[in-house]
Structure formats: C-alpha cells, structure tokens
Amino acid sequence: MTRSIIDHTETESAKTEPGLCPDCETDTIIHDPDRGERVCEECGLVLTEDPIDYGPEWRAFNAQEHDELSRVGAPLTQSMHDRGLTTTIDWRNKDANGHSMSADKHGQLHRLRVWQERIRTKNAGERNLKYALSEIDRMVSALGVPRPVKETASVIYRQALDQDLIRGRSIEGVATSALYTACRKEDIPRSLEEVTSVSRVDQREIGRTYRYIADELDINLEPTNPRQFVPRFCSELDVGKEVETKAVEIIDTTTEQGLHSGKSPTGFAAAAIYAAGLLCDETIPQRAVADTAQTTVVTVRNRYREQLEAIDQQPA
C-alpha cells in the first residue's frame, strides 16, 4: 500500500463512495476521477489504483467516425422476437459499392427476402411473439414514449409468456397491458385512456389484464402522481410557467391532505391547471383543459372547486 496526500482542490470533483477505510476506520473514501484511484480523504491511504479501461482502444469525434471504427453490430434488444440476432436483407437492390444490380439479381434478392422472413419465425409461438412486439412498437410510436419503455414492455410481455399468462387472453390485450405497466414503472405519464386510444382492445379489458399481470408477476407500482401530467398538459395548452408552477403547488398541497385519493390523476392535474390559471389571472377554457386531459368538463369543474377550498384561496 502507498500513501498519497490529496490536495483539497483536486478532491472537489471526487465522488464519495460507501465503505470504511481499513487504516483510520472512517467513511471518507472518495473516488478521484483524474487519477483513477479510491483514496481515503482523512489519512490519504490509496485503496485501489490503475483501473482497467473496458472501452474501445480507438477514439471517435463524431458519429460517422464511430460507425466506421466500430467493429461490433447492434446491441441485443428485447423488442424484437429474435433479439436482433438474425440477418436482415436490405430492400435496396444495390451491391456493397452502391451500384444497381441486374434484373436477374433483383428477382433472386426478392426470393431471398421472402425466405428470410419465413425462417425468422420457426413456429406459431414465435409468430405470435413477433406480432405482439410489433403491436408494442406501433403503440410506442403513437404515444411518443422513449425507447426504454418499449424495452421494459417487451420484457414484461416475455415474462407473461414464460409463465403462461397469455392463455385465454388476446395478444393485443396483454401487449397493451404490458405497455401501460411499463409506462407506470418508468414514471412516464400516460393515462389508461391515452393507452386505450392507440390500442385495438377496449379499456375494460386492458384494465382487467393489467391488474392480473401485475399481480401474477409481482409488480408493485406506486399510485400515479398527478403532478407528472402537469408539464405535458401545460405544454399542450401553451400556458405560462407561472401557471405550471402554481398548478404543481396546488397538487402538492392537496395531495398532502389526501384530496387526490380515489380520483383520476389526469382529471386532478387538469383541475389544478385550471385553478392555477384563475389564480394567476390567465384565462384557460375548461373545455380545452378537459380535452387535453381526456376527461369531462364536469370533472374539471368539481375538482378545481375542491382544490381551491382545500388551499383556502379564491380567484380575484
């Protein structure tokens, strides 16, 4: 073991790590990114040094250089039935140099594509999985949610398939339920009504299948916080930042009082935005707020009055 005295200015960018120093028995172990060492800030004992760099040996300064220097393919993905391992024949009838092929080659490539698609699915189970994952991909694109949600939804569907939870239920229903569960799990604010609008099954089946899958797979999800919907709703309504901040304050205050319990989170968020608009002297039509949240005007009217009474404020 060697000892090293670390200057205070060098440790400003260091990161504190859990654990006790074996020498002075204090919990002041830090990671020095410049030297690649784990050091005790109290006594200067160097615990580890010379870390192994698992990155590539080459450097790239733009995306084109990265693609040219990389010697690996695309990463594995759960959103494809074969996890992206099989070969895909390009639809363009060109060779490696970009030159067009002859008419005879066109027909040959067409037959190769047809057989390639056939052999990618060996049995009915893989065909059903391919269809389910394509449904998840379609709904993800329609909802505009990020890629990690699609991966999580694909994993949930695969787990349901492995435990034979699909039997007696439609593929579309289970796929939609997996996507809704993934949105809840990744804290992406998408209501059940929004997911239903892009699905091929009705809301009742989605809700019933969602509860069944979450219970069987032991997925514990926290109740949806209405404040998650506020930024997106405010952006669609084109209201000011002051209204958004006030709406979040209203939701936080009323949530602490338990006013949101048993109420739709989207309707609760929409009512808070409308109430915030009244308090900030910004006119927001109730119909516009209700349409944005996919709820009714009656819900917005009832919820915002309850919220104003709870925070003991009234519009001017």
Side-chain angles (χ1 to χ4, degrees), residues 232-239 270 273-274 282 284-285 288-290 292:
R232 182 160 61 90
F233 289 171
C234 288
S235 177
E236 295 180 8
L237 291 168
D238 194 22
V239 298
I273 294 173
Y274 181 75
E282 185 169 343
I284 309 174
V289 178
T292 301

Side-chain angles (χ1 to χ4, degrees), residues 238-249:
D238 194 22
V239 298
K241 190 68 178 178
E242 183 183 0
V243 174
E244 180 179 343
T245 303
K246 189 65 177 179
V248 172
E249 292 178 1

Side-chain angles (χ1 to χ4, degrees), residues 1-6 20-30 38-47:
M1 289 288 185
T2 59
R3 293 183 178 273
S4 172
I5 304 300
I6 307 297
L20 297 177
C21 174
D23 191 11
C24 63
E25 297 183 350
T26 59
D27 58 350
T28 57
I29 298 175
I30 61 172
R38 293 179 65 246
V39 186
C40 176
E41 193 176 24
E42 184 69 24
C43 64
L45 178 67
V46 179
L47 279 74

Side-chain angles (χ1 to χ4, degrees), residues 273-288:
I273 294 173
Y274 181 75
L278 295 177
L279 296 177
C280 297
D281 295 329
E282 185 169 343
T283 303
I284 309 174
Q286 287 186 4
R287 172 61 62 182

Side-chain angles (χ1 to χ4, degrees), residues 13 47 58 72 121 131 187 193 195-196 205 213 231 250 258-259:
S13 60
L47 279 74
W58 43 265
V72 298
T121 53
Y131 173 69
D187 292 330
E193 291 78 10
V195 177
T196 304
E205 181 179 350
I213 289 179
I250 293 173
L259 190 64

Side-chain angles (χ1 to χ4, degrees), residues 19 31 46 72 84 88 103 118-119 132 134 139 149 161 210 213 254 269 275-276:
H31 176 260
V46 179
V72 298
T88 301
R118 290 177 180 175
I119 65 176
S134 66
M139 292 184 289
V149 176
L161 184 63
Y210 153 72
I213 289 179
T254 53

Side-chain angles (χ1 to χ4, degrees), residues 165 181 209-221:
L165 304 181
T181 305
T209 308
Y210 153 72
R211 289 188 292 270
Y212 174 74
I213 289 179
D215 183 60
E216 291 295 327
L217 297 181
D218 196 21
I219 301 176
N220 298 319
L221 300 173

